[in-house]
Amino acid sequence: MNKGDGPYSYAQNSSYQRGVVDAAKEMIGEAIADKLDIKHLSFASLNAFCIADFGCSVGPNTFIAVQNILEPVEFKYQTQGLNSRIPEFQVFFNDHVTNDFNTLFTSLTPYKRYFAAGIPGSFYNRLFPKASLHFVHSSNSLHWLSKVPKEVLDINSPAWNKGRIHYVGSAKEVLEAYSAQYAKDMESFLYARAQEVVDGGLMALLIASLPDGILHSQTTTGMLYELLGSCLMDMAKTGVVSEAKVDSFNLPIYYTSTKELEAIIERNGYFNIERMEKMDQPMMQATPNLQMCTLHTRAVMEGLIKEHFGSEIIDELFNRYTEKVAESSFVLNLENRKVIELFVLLKRKMTN
Amino acid sequence: MNKGDGPYSYAQNSSYQRGVVDAAKEMIGEAIADKLDIKHLSFASLNAFCIADFGCSVGPNTFIAVQNILEPVEFKYQTQGLNSRIPEFQVFFNDHVTNDFNTLFTSLTPYKRYFAAGIPGSFYNRLFPKASLHFVHSSNSLHWLSKVPKEVLDINSPAWNKGRIHYVGSAKEVLEAYSAQYAKDMESFLYARAQEVVDGGLMALLIASLPDGILHSQTTTGMLYELLGSCLMDMAKTGVVSEAKVDSFNLPIYYTSTKELEAIIERNGYFNIERMEKMDQPMMQATPNLQMCTLHTRAVMEGLIKEHFGSEIIDELFNRYTEKVAESSFVLNLENRKVIELFVLLKRKMTN
């Protein structure tokens, strides 16, 4: 994600993600009201109720998400006559080591009702001590893989993804490699969280995914990746970048489906699925608009592209990209916005 | 503290602070061996042993300090036959919101044996939930006040500190205002930590201070502040900065004495003083060297000065300062290095 708060920054170009957080507010409220057992042993004698947001980026969405958890928890203690036992709150903001934690920290309001901490590191690894979290949140992060599947980069593999930057429009072996990497990563995520979340603790995961039976190539998002890849190939043809450099660049992003995700969670076995459904995301009903599409892609992808190609190509690339998006009747057609936001509520099973 | 790891950065110019951390290693080992009761209730059934370093800056000293705590704790569990109950470790790195946490986080080794967290905020406030810390460390930070005492900035107060940037060489009212601010700040620190540290938990505080009966003006450090202030006054005379601007600039730094600190801790009442003594800091025996004096001052003070005067004056100021330090036989005389490092080991009293 782009750092700071300039015109191309993630902080200024994450209104889509904000929509996801807003849409989840009510569902999180219901989750806490219905599924959080604050009279249970792990919660009854708490000094602190610990919340973690995995993949928090730089805000402000993460602060809103945290507030959407904290308030219903307090309310639950109050309505259950446990006013005097409302715990203190500790909130852990997690993202990659390279996330802009400096911006995140200076954006924290001094009037917050919780103790704040930053947790640097990949959420596919353990990041917390055993049984130390009570509520886990993650929004729009779990479609990021821990890495590009290695077969996709291997010239001798049938999954070698020549001339493309994603599995959209590629051979089925490419999609399979991505899918296998996703399954491995999600298993790592669930296993790590299973150690860290207390018995009965909740996880609300907001995950960009595909409706069952829809291919990524049939969606706006898929087409945007396709267009970005084709701009890079055009630039390879004019010699601005080498073709080999484009071949070795792939987006570490995968959109799962309800069925696939359900199978992974059940195979893992540490969590009960309490709720799993498509969210009503009002921004999904808005016709895609050129500026938003391009600024959003830039805020999210620029860092990744710079790291691989260097910063010289960025302006030309995004100029070309903006032109292609503007000409694409597919992208700007509302009907093709088929990526959904899945709301997944998991509850940590009891250890004994 | 200067950010990043460039030639004027704190990370590259904190070998003095490193000396303090090294000198404390043995004393911390002894503290854990002799005073940490791991069979006590708060420690016996721990999921995680939580360590916090207050005023951690950007490393690497803070990582070394943490290692110097973690290893003797593990060793104690092993030697007491509690091998199977060695807890996981969580380490909280605290400093101001404006600290360069990005640099701190990217400097963390992936091979560490603890879960790391950054805690932004002033340690004169509460930063953690109740009873959540087992070992507190703070090195070379508690001589920083929360703010410049307001009387020192008040033109109508007898403590108004015209023409100086510190209490060295000022009227006694200036020193008194600093001393009062220090007492207030230390009380805030101790009160906040008393809530956060478990019963029987330890605090190792490494504090730059003065031997009883020595005035700050009799020390190298005091003289360095005096010279820095006089450079600013010289620049006011040549019109580079206004005199009023210099009058309104004061260093929020105070060096306590053993007696004064002891009285504050006893008045607070939440901690037993287990040990309080001057540390053997080998670097204190080294003759001050021009480059180290000036680079160290710049790494520590530049941010503060920039904030007040703007960045334009920095190079001229530090050129003038280097010249004055070079000419000062007082500063470069080993005998005047009278500031000591105090090792203070406190143990949280039992609540009941």
Side-chain angles (χ1 to χ4, degrees):
Chain A
M1 305 303 137
N2 275 350
K3 300 195 176 195
D5 56 4
Y8 299 122
S9 68
Y10 177 83
Q12 294 293 329
N13 294 287
S14 46
S15 56
Y16 172 80
Q17 289 87 339
R18 166 66 191 267
V20 175
V21 166
D22 286 346
K25 180 177 177 171
E26 204 180 315
M27 297 167 100
I28 287 178
E30 287 166 12
I32 291 164
D34 301 342
K35 307 288 183 184
L36 187 73
D37 181 7
I38 59 171
K39 289 184 175 163
H40 177 267
L41 193 63
S42 312
F43 295 90
S45 60
L46 273 187
N47 274 332
F49 189 98
C50 297
I51 299 167
D53 187 28
F54 289 92
C56 64
S57 192
V58 292
N61 295 336
T62 187
F63 304 130
I64 299 161
V66 161
Q67 211 54 32
N68 292 347
I69 296 164
L70 195 150
E71 284 172 4
V73 172
E74 277 192 334
F75 184 73
K76 185 153 194 173
Y77 274 88
Q78 284 157 358
T79 53
Q80 299 210 352
L82 299 170
N83 233 321
S84 64
R85 278 158 66 186
I86 295 179
E88 294 181 321
F89 288 88
Q90 187 165 33
V91 175
F92 298 99
F93 296 98
N94 157 259
D95 213 316
H96 282 293
V97 160
T98 53
N99 184 50
D100 190 356
F101 283 96
N102 288 350
T103 297
L104 179 78
F105 287 166
T106 50
S107 319
L108 278 165
T109 160
Y111 306 109
K112 58 195 182 334
R113 277 139 63 194
Y114 53 84
F115 302 112
I119 306 289
S122 163
F123 52 52
Y124 294 120
N125 298 323
R126 280 285 302 281
L127 293 168
F128 293 91
K130 275 176 212 135
S132 60
L133 300 178
H134 303 95
F135 200 106
V136 162
H137 181 266
S138 179
S139 175
N140 245 281
S141 302
L142 283 164
H143 59 296
W144 287 94
L145 300 174
S146 68
K147 61 175 185 183
V148 171
K150 65 178 190 312
E151 303 85 341
V152 163
L153 300 170
D154 175 2
I155 194 163
N156 297 315
S157 163
W160 183 42
N161 200 22
K162 184 170 171 48
R164 299 189 178 271
I165 64 169
H166 201 230
Y167 53 80
V168 172
S170 297
K172 75 172 192 324
E173 287 84 354
V174 179
L175 177 60
E176 284 163 5
Y178 267 86
S179 169
Q181 183 66 46
Y182 182 77
K184 214 174 135 187
D185 284 342
M186 265 312 277
E187 168 56 26
S188 301
F189 178 85
L190 293 169
Y191 185 75
R193 298 300 86 75
Q195 318 304 307
E196 298 165 355
V197 174
V198 298
D199 288 1
L202 296 178
M203 299 216 286
L205 309 179
L206 287 46
I207 304 177
S209 48
L210 296 174
D212 288 321
I214 295 287
L215 295 175
H216 204 176
S217 57
Q218 297 168 284
T219 71
T220 308
T221 320
M223 184 54 75
L224 287 174
Y225 296 164
E226 181 83 347
L227 293 180
L228 190 66
S230 75
C231 293
L232 284 167
M233 283 305 282
D234 292 348
M235 287 165 77
K237 276 173 212 139
T238 65
V240 182
V241 295
S242 79
E243 212 169 307
K245 201 90 185 153
V246 181
D247 291 343
S248 61
F249 180 74
N250 286 272
L251 298 174
I253 291 178
Y254 181 78
Y255 288 78
T256 187
S257 68
T258 316
K259 265 189 196 162
E260 185 181 36
L261 183 57
E262 207 173 334
I264 294 170
I265 296 167
E266 282 174 359
R267 200 158 55 234
N268 167 270
Y270 286 102
F271 294 92
N272 286 322
I273 301 175
E274 300 287 338
R275 191 171 180 179
M276 190 168 192
E277 68 188 61
K278 183 187 160 194
M279 286 166 55
D280 277 328
Q281 221 284 54
M283 289 190 70
M284 282 297 196
Q285 275 103 60
T287 304
N289 115 2
L290 174 63
Q291 206 200 5
M292 228 192 87
C293 279
T294 52
L295 282 179
H296 178 257
T297 309
R298 184 164 181 170
V300 172
M301 303 283 183
E302 185 172 330
L304 216 57
I305 296 167
K306 266 188 189 164
E307 203 188 330
H308 190 84
F309 293 99
S311 53
E312 321 74 73
I313 74 151
I314 295 295
D315 284 333
E316 179 179 342
L317 175 63
F318 282 101
N319 288 341
R320 284 173 177 270
Y321 176 71
T322 305
E323 276 173 35
K324 288 210 183 195
V325 174
E327 284 162 13
S328 165
S329 56
F330 184 93
V331 166
L332 300 175
N333 182 347
L334 177 58
E335 280 185 21
N336 300 318
R337 278 197 96 157
K338 288 181 184 139
V339 166
I340 56 169
E341 289 296 330
L342 210 55
F343 179 86
V344 184
L345 182 69
L346 303 180
K347 186 170 188 167
R348 177 70 172 89
K349 292 180 184 171
M350 299 295 149
T351 317
N352 299 316
Chain B
M1 305 302 138
N2 275 350
K3 300 192 176 197
D5 56 4
Y8 299 122
S9 68
Y10 177 82
Q12 295 293 331
N13 294 286
S14 46
S15 57
Y16 171 79
Q17 290 87 339
R18 167 67 191 267
V20 174
V21 166
D22 286 346
K25 180 175 178 175
E26 204 181 315
M27 296 167 100
I28 287 178
E30 287 165 11
I32 291 163
D34 301 341
K35 306 290 182 182
L36 188 74
D37 181 8
I38 59 172
K39 289 184 173 160
H40 175 266
L41 192 66
S42 314
F43 294 92
S45 61
L46 274 187
N47 273 335
F49 188 96
C50 296
I51 298 167
D53 188 29
F54 289 91
C56 64
S57 193
V58 292
N61 294 337
T62 187
F63 305 131
I64 300 161
V66 160
Q67 211 53 34
N68 292 347
I69 296 164
L70 195 149
E71 285 171 4
V73 173
E74 278 192 334
F75 184 73
K76 185 154 192 170
Y77 274 88
Q78 285 158 356
T79 51
Q80 299 210 350
L82 299 170
N83 233 322
S84 65
R85 278 159 69 188
I86 295 179
E88 295 181 321
F89 289 87
Q90 188 166 34
V91 176
F92 298 99
F93 296 98
N94 158 259
D95 213 314
H96 282 292
V97 160
T98 52
N99 183 50
D100 190 356
F101 283 97
N102 288 350
T103 297
L104 179 79
F105 287 167
T106 50
S107 319
L108 277 164
T109 158
Y111 307 109
K112 59 194 178 339
R113 276 139 64 196
Y114 53 85
F115 302 112
I119 306 288
S122 163
F123 52 52
Y124 294 120
N125 299 322
R126 279 285 302 280
L127 292 168
F128 293 90
K130 276 176 214 136
S132 60
L133 300 177
H134 303 96
F135 199 105
V136 162
H137 181 267
S138 179
S139 175
N140 246 282
S141 301
L142 284 163
H143 59 296
W144 288 93
L145 300 174
S146 67
K147 61 176 184 184
V148 172
K150 64 178 189 315
E151 302 85 342
V152 162
L153 301 168
D154 177 2
I155 194 165
N156 297 315
S157 164
W160 184 43
N161 200 21
K162 182 168 171 52
R164 299 190 178 271
I165 64 168
H166 200 231
Y167 53 80
V168 172
S170 297
K172 76 173 191 322
E173 287 84 354
V174 177
L175 177 60
E176 284 163 6
Y178 268 86
S179 169
Q181 182 66 46
Y182 182 76
K184 214 174 135 185
D185 284 342
M186 266 311 278
E187 168 57 28
S188 302
F189 179 84
L190 293 169
Y191 185 75
R193 298 302 85 75
Q195 317 305 306
E196 298 166 357
V197 174
V198 298
D199 289 1
L202 295 179
M203 298 216 286
L205 309 178
L206 287 46
I207 305 177
S209 48
L210 296 174
D212 288 319
I214 296 287
L215 295 175
H216 204 175
S217 57
Q218 296 168 284
T219 72
T220 308
T221 320
M223 185 54 76
L224 287 173
Y225 297 164
E226 179 83 347
L227 292 179
L228 191 66
S230 75
C231 293
L232 284 166
M233 283 304 284
D234 292 348
M235 287 166 79
K237 277 174 209 137
T238 65
V240 182
V241 295
S242 79
E243 211 170 307
K245 200 90 184 153
V246 181
D247 290 343
S248 62
F249 180 73
N250 287 272
L251 298 174
I253 291 179
Y254 180 79
Y255 288 78
T256 188
S257 68
T258 316
K259 266 190 195 161
E260 186 182 34
L261 182 58
E262 207 174 334
I264 294 170
I265 296 166
E266 285 178 356
R267 203 159 52 236
N268 167 269
Y270 286 103
F271 294 92
N272 285 323
I273 302 175
E274 300 286 340
R275 191 170 179 180
M276 189 167 192
E277 67 188 62
K278 183 188 160 193
M279 287 167 55
D280 277 327
Q281 221 282 54
M283 289 188 72
M284 282 297 194
Q285 274 103 60
T287 302
N289 115 2
L290 175 64
Q291 206 200 5
M292 229 192 87
C293 279
T294 53
L295 282 178
H296 179 258
T297 308
R298 184 164 181 168
V300 172
M301 303 284 182
E302 183 172 330
L304 216 58
I305 295 168
K306 265 188 190 163
E307 204 187 328
H308 189 84
F309 294 99
S311 53
E312 320 76 72
I313 74 151
I314 295 295
D315 284 334
E316 180 180 342
L317 174 63
F318 282 101
N319 288 340
R320 284 174 177 268
Y321 176 70
T322 305
E323 276 173 36
K324 289 210 185 198
V325 173
E327 285 163 12
S328 165
S329 57
F330 184 93
V331 166
L332 300 176
N333 182 347
L334 177 58
E335 279 186 20
N336 299 317
R337 278 196 97 158
K338 288 183 184 138
V339 165
I340 57 169
E341 289 295 330
L342 210 55
F343 178 87
V344 184
L345 181 69
L346 303 181
K347 186 170 189 169
R348 178 69 171 90
K349 292 181 185 172
M350 298 294 147
T351 317
N352 302 315

